[in-house]
Amino acid sequence: MPKPYYVIGHVSGIEDDNRPAFERARKRLEGASKAMCEIPHDLVPSDTPWPTAMLVSIHKLTSRSYPSMEPTYRLALLEGWEASEGARLEKAVAEACGIPCKTVDEWLEEAR
């Protein structure tokens, strides 16, 4: 079974916490790759303080599969992720931890 994706992107200050864009990305990735896809909205209630939301999201993203200790997730970046302080932090942590990072479109191209 292919490794699941964890989608990140701009959330704060966007109507509905940008959930529609995250859900579209999830649907496209799952359809193209047959891999599970998780989004921060699955884990973090909308009223969660930013530091706690980052802690929860990064904890999920950096989880490892036992016994191999390989990263559990692949990171999928929504269009416009660069505008988000949190997404930039999550990407930096993912790269430092050896987690594969690509945009949603790059992952979709790879799945074809």
Side-chain angles (χ1 to χ4, degrees):
M1 179 165 204
K3 284 185 182 181
Y5 298 101
Y6 188 70
V7 180
I8 64 163
H10 203 168
V11 174
S12 299
I14 297 180
E15 185 177 350
D16 295 326
D17 292 330
N18 206 18
R19 188 178 190 116
F22 280 84
E23 292 291 356
R24 280 191 302 276
R26 179 195 330 240
K27 185 176 180 179
R28 292 175 66 207
L29 286 165
E30 288 180 344
S33 69
K34 308 302 182 218
M36 183 187 79
C37 188
E38 292 194 52
I39 62 174
H41 306 73
D42 297 337
L43 308 167
V44 182
S46 63
D47 61 347
T48 302
W50 189 83
T52 303
M54 292 284 62
L55 180 65
V56 170
S57 187
I58 289 170
H59 177 72
K60 182 68 163 183
L61 173 63
T62 58
S63 65
R64 298 289 170 153
S65 299
Y66 294 97
S68 72
M69 295 303 291
E70 289 292 317
T72 300
Y73 292 93
R74 297 177 281 179
L75 187 65
L77 303 147
L78 280 181
E79 185 175 332
W81 68 270
E82 303 95 334
S84 166
E85 180 182 353
R88 290 191 311 269
L89 174 62
E90 289 163 318
K91 182 178 186 281
V93 168
E95 289 176 333
C97 294
I99 296 166
C101 303
K102 295 183 183 183
T103 66
V104 170
D105 288 338
E106 289 170 331
W107 285 120
L108 290 168
E109 182 64 31
E110 185 176 298
R112 291 185 189 144

